[in-house]
């Protein structure tokens, strides 16, 4: 069976993108990464993807109307034969129109145990609430921010000495394990 073609959208560091790409090198991995797209041409993750020989789309949306910018990303993804998209620290909200065009074919990784702490500053919020555990969630992207159905989660115990930074680092380690695993499983069930 041909491997499924995955596109990844990033805005920065790209450590989850790197985890997805590293995992795709395994012989039995059901996907390959066909394109990495970034709204930040200077994103560190983009340089790394290029070094790995992966095709990239690197354009800032500045001064471009959103529908036009998203149409350009959409065209690049389709040209690369992408069948599904993984958001990996992509900091821009996708329009309802884009989500509709890729219905049930976009996933995201979020650094909290959804439905808790949608949006930003998840670790500081979990600490402020006195939570005993934190974690990360892989979910389908819908029009509702961080609201689509949950495909997988990983938990991390919160320690008394944790700061938002130490907690973020431990959760990130779990993200790197969880995301490739869940994406691989999800892609094998996706209609061609
Ligand atoms: C991760 O914490 C992810 O959960 C969130 O944005 C961060 C991206 O980090 N959506 P990286 O760019 O993958 O290193």
């Amino acid at each position: 069976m041909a491997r499924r073609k995955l596109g990844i959208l990033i805005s920065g560091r790209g450590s989850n993108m790197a985890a997805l790409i590293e995992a795709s090198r395994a012989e039995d991995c059901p996907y390959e990464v066909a394109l990495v797209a970034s709204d930040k041409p200077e994103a560190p993750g983009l340089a790394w993807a290029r070094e790995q020989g992966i095709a990239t789309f690197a354009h800032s949306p500045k001064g471009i109307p959103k529908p036009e910018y998203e149409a350009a990303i959409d065209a690049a993804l389709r040209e690369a034969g992408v069948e599904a998209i993984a958001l990996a620290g992509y900091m821009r909200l996708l329009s309802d129109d884009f989500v509709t065009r890729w219905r049930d074919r976009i996933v995201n990784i979020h650094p909290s145990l959804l439905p808790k702490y949608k949006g930003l500053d998840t670790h500081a919020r979990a600490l402020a609430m006195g939570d005993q555990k934190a974690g990360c969630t892989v979910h389908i992207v819908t029009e509702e921010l961080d609201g689509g159905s949950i495909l997988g989660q990983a938990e991390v115990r919160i320690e008394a000495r944790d700061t938002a930074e130490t907690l973020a680092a431990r959760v990130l380690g779990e993200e790197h394990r969880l995301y490739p695993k869940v994406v691989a499983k999800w892609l094998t069930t996706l209609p061609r």
Side-chain angles (χ1 to χ4, degrees), residues 12-17 88-89 108-111 172 175-176:
R13 183 174 57 182
S15 69
N16 279 289
M17 170 211 72
N108 180 42
I109 182 135
H110 183 75
L172 191 64
E175 293 182 34
H176 298 161

Side-chain angles (χ1 to χ4, degrees), residues 57-192:
F57 168 101
H59 296 286
S60 163
K62 266 186 211 131
I64 306 171
K66 188 161 183 160
E68 217 173 285
Y69 182 72
E70 286 190 341
I73 293 191
D74 187 81
L77 289 164
R78 293 189 194 272
E79 203 167 302
V82 166
E83 305 171 73
I85 302 170
L87 305 183
Y90 187 66
M91 296 308 284
R92 219 158 269 283
L93 279 180
L94 294 168
S95 69
D96 290 0
D97 187 49
F98 189 92
V99 171
T100 301
R101 270 184 281 144
W102 290 88
R103 174 74 58 207
D104 292 332
R105 285 179 180 262
I106 312 176
V107 286
N108 180 42
I109 182 135
H110 183 75
S112 79
L113 294 172
L114 289 173
K116 273 188 154 182
Y117 313 127
K118 297 176 179 180
L120 298 174
D121 298 325
T122 53
H123 306 298
R125 287 156 70 198
L127 291 176
M129 290 305 286
D131 290 357
Q132 305 287 305
K133 60 182 188 184
C136 50
T137 304
V138 179
H139 66 91
I140 298 281
V141 171
T142 65
E143 289 80 352
E144 190 199 334
L145 179 70
D146 302 325
S149 45
I150 291 174
L151 300 178
Q153 288 186 315
E155 288 183 12
V156 157
R157 216 159 61 99
I158 295 182
E159 311 287 349
R161 60 178 184 280
D162 263 326
T163 63
E165 288 71 31
T166 60
L167 183 57
R170 272 208 320 292
V171 171
L172 191 64
E174 290 304 319
E175 293 182 34
H176 298 161
R177 277 183 280 278
L178 181 73
Y179 209 9
K181 205 172 63 184
V182 172
V183 165
K185 194 167 166 213
W186 170 62
L187 285 176
T188 57
T189 66
L190 202 71
R192 289 202 182 250

